[in-house]
């Protein structure tokens, strides 16, 4: 009886070992969700400085490699291992770790004599197709007699896309559907979508991202500039960059800078200009300790970037000054031509009026809106008559033109 029981136990134990050995690998391609971060602030006075925040990561495809009893996750913002904490608080180090093929836990703490006491516990658990990540952190320190306390919780999940060594999902689905099926319906042609940005309008906006960037010695960084029209369509215009001199920092392209390993800390104010309008952005060279502290403050994202700089362009386009100048010049020429023509007409009119004035008596303009007074009678014409032939003569004539008889005035 005892021998039979021993055989059953041995068979069960062997079966369990065989099932455990046949667990599929977690190596492969996975889809990571965005990391959810929830901060809770306890005591926090003005002397504590900026309140903590941030520290998450975006979602996307990642690659996971199962190495012994640990996982290595490549992609996203950085490479991460299951024997580490995600938090990168200054002075924080792993103090204990336990793990296996489907579960891991790491506890990280600051040194006992560090005035900034922090404790972070990171836990990961996995099934064949899903991996869950959870991390909690507690922070306690004292500044100028003021207690500063905060806590954080981070969580995300990973879902399997393709296991290492397995066929791609498209091939697996094709082999699984061996039975004939009805022909797929003929797809309707997609409606033609007009590209509203095929003919961009005048430049209306200059955008530069980020407005402020933290860099470490030895890094390179490229500021991203966009010159768009009023509808947000790219115009293809490139801004002019102005980069001041700074020891250990050199310009290696439009808006791109390279920081030497021995570069000194400090800020560079960089200008991007389009059509006479500029925006200023800042590149700040910092040490690794200060970089981590600024990221922990929550004012920067996980890439050390902050905000964007925007300039609204006054005018129709880059070169609108020239267009405006040409337009004003045309109007000035027309105005000059109109004034010159008007002056010529006035001159001709005055000349004609003067010539006509020699033949007619000018009439005085009315002094009011009342009916003008009757014009004065013309001066009497002196008339004379020839006593011989009876011909009447006007003007200053003294003798008759017919017989030279002396004329006599008529009454």
């Amino acid at each position: 009886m005892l021998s039979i029981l021993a055989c059953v136990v041995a068979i069960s134990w062997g079966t369990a070992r065989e099932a455990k050995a046949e667990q599929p690998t977690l190596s492969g391609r996975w889809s990571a969700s965005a990391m959810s971060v929830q901060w809770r602030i306890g005591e926090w006075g003005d002397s504590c400085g900026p309140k903590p925040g941030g520290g998450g990561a975006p979602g996307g495809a990642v690659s996971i490699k199962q190495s012994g009893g640990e996982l290595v996750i490549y992609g996203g913002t950085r490479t991460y291992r299951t024997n580490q904490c995600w938090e990168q608080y200054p002075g924080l180090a792993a103090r204990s770790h336990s793990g296996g093929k489907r579960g891991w836990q790491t506890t990280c703490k600051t040194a006992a004599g560090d005035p900034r006491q922090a404790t972070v516990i990171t836990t990961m658990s996995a099934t064949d197709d899903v991996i869950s990540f959870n991390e909690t952190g507690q922070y306690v320190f004292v500044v100028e007699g003021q207690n500063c306390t905060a806590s954080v919780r981070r969580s995300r999940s990973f879902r399997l896309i393709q296991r290492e060594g397995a066929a791609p999902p498209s091939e697996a689905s094709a082999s699984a559907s061996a039975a004939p099926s009805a022909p797929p319906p003929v797809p309707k042609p997609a409606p033609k979508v007009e590209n509203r940005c095929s003919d961009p309008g005048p430049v209306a906006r200059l955008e530069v991202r980020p407005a402020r960037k933290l860099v470490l010695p030895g890094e390179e960084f490229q500021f991203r500039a966009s010159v768009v029209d009023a509808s947000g369509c790219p115009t293809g215009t490139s801004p002019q960059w102005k980069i001041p001199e700074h020891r250990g920092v050199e310009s290696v392209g439009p808006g791109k800078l390279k920081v030497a390993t021995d570069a000194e800390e400090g800020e560079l104010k960089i200008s991007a200009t389009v059509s006479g309008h500029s925006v200023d952005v800042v590149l700040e060279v910092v040490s690794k300790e200060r970089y981590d502290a600024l990221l922990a403050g929550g004012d920067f994202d996980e890439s050390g970037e902050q905000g964007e700089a925007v300039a609204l362009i006054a005018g129709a386009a880059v070169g609108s000054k020239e267009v405006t100048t040409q337009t004003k010049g045309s109007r000035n020429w027309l105005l000059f031509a109109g004034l010159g023509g008007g002056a010529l007409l006035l001159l001709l009119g005055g000349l004609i009026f003067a010539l006509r004035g020699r033949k007619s008596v000018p009439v005085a303009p009315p002094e009011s809106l009342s009916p003008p007074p009757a014009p004065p009678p013309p001066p009497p014409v002196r008339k004379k008559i020839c006593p011989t032939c009876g011909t009447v003569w006007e003007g200053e004539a003294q003798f008759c033109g017919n017989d030279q008889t002396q004329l006599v005035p008529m009454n």
Side-chain angles (χ1 to χ4, degrees):
M1 184 66 180
L2 290 176
S3 60
I4 296 175
L5 182 59
C7 291
V8 171
V9 171
I11 293 172
S12 301
W13 183 71
T15 304
R17 286 189 62 188
E18 183 179 356
K20 186 176 181 180
E22 292 178 354
Q23 283 183 329
T25 179
L26 298 178
S27 299
R29 293 174 54 239
W30 295 71
S31 174
S33 66
M35 183 175 292
S36 172
V37 182
Q38 298 176 343
W39 282 92
R40 291 187 177 182
I41 309 301
E43 295 184 62
W44 203 271
D46 295 337
S47 58
C48 297
K51 293 182 179 180
V62 298
S63 176
I64 296 181
K65 184 70 175 178
Q66 191 165 6
S67 177
E70 305 294 338
L71 299 183
V72 184
I73 303 175
Y74 303 92
T77 56
R78 70 175 193 263
T79 300
Y80 171 73
R81 300 174 181 271
T82 50
N83 59 357
Q84 301 172 339
C85 292
W86 178 267
E87 174 67 272
Q88 293 182 315
Y89 190 76
L92 195 69
R95 305 300 177 184
S96 64
H97 173 71
S98 62
K101 294 185 177 181
R102 289 295 188 266
W104 303 265
Q105 180 170 302
T106 305
T107 301
C108 300
K109 293 183 178 182
T110 53
D114 195 326
R116 301 167 299 178
Q117 287 298 303
T119 301
V120 177
I121 300 176
T122 307
T123 303
M124 293 187 67
S125 60
T127 65
D128 292 346
D129 303 307
V130 178
I131 302 174
S132 298
F133 169 93
N134 287 281
E135 182 175 87
T136 59
Q138 299 288 336
Y139 308 87
V140 179
F141 57 96
V142 179
V143 178
E144 298 178 359
Q146 170 69 57
N147 290 331
C148 309
T149 61
S151 62
V152 66
R153 179 181 180 84
R154 299 183 179 92
S155 60
R156 72 188 312 184
S157 62
F158 302 83
R159 295 189 178 276
L160 180 66
I161 298 176
Q162 180 184 356
R163 199 180 309 278
E164 186 179 85
S170 57
E171 296 180 9
S173 60
S175 60
S177 56
S181 58
V186 179
K188 295 181 180 180
K192 185 178 180 181
V193 179
E194 182 179 357
N195 184 6
R196 66 180 182 86
C197 292
S198 58
D199 186 18
V203 171
R205 184 180 177 94
L206 167 62
E207 304 173 351
V208 181
R209 298 178 178 85
R212 193 177 189 90
K213 168 63 179 174
L214 304 177
V215 293
L216 297 170
E219 291 186 340
E220 288 187 4
F221 183 72
Q222 170 79 60
F223 282 96
R224 307 177 294 278
S226 300
V227 183
V228 299
D229 62 10
S231 300
C233 296
T235 63
T237 305
S238 299
Q240 298 294 324
W241 295 89
K242 183 178 180 182
I243 301 174
E245 293 185 0
H246 186 86
R247 191 179 73 82
V249 179
E250 63 173 325
S251 174
V252 293
K256 186 175 182 180
L257 299 100
K258 182 177 181 180
V259 183
T261 55
D262 60 345
E264 61 183 15
E265 294 190 48
E267 296 183 356
L268 284 81
K269 183 177 287 187
I270 300 161
S271 298
T273 303
V274 169
S275 188
H277 295 265
S278 303
V279 294
D280 293 334
V281 294
V282 175
L283 183 83
E284 184 175 359
V285 182
V286 296
S287 64
K288 182 63 169 66
E289 293 75 14
R290 190 157 180 264
Y291 185 93
D292 294 337
L294 290 172
L295 257 62
D299 293 333
F300 295 85
D301 63 13
E302 61 272 7
S303 301
E305 299 182 5
Q306 181 187 75
E308 69 176 3
V310 177
L312 298 179
I313 308 301
V318 176
S320 61
K321 291 183 178 179
E322 288 76 7
V323 174
T324 304
T325 301
Q326 292 176 4
T327 304
K328 288 184 177 179
S330 302
R331 291 179 179 175
N332 292 339
W333 184 87
L334 292 174
L335 179 60
F336 176 78
L339 291 175
L344 182 60
L345 291 176
L346 289 175
L347 181 61
L348 291 175
L351 181 60
I352 295 173
F353 183 78
L355 293 176
R356 292 183 61 186
R358 295 181 180 180
K359 298 180 180 181
S360 61
V361 178
V363 179
E367 296 182 358
S368 64
L369 297 178
S370 58
V381 180
R382 299 176 65 183
K383 296 182 180 181
K384 297 179 180 181
I385 189 170
C386 177
T388 302
C389 64
T391 302
V392 177
W393 299 85
E394 298 179 357
E396 300 295 328
Q398 295 183 359
F399 299 92
C400 178
N402 297 325
D403 54 6
Q404 300 300 313
T405 302
Q406 187 174 3
L407 302 176
V408 297
M410 294 182 64
N411 294 330

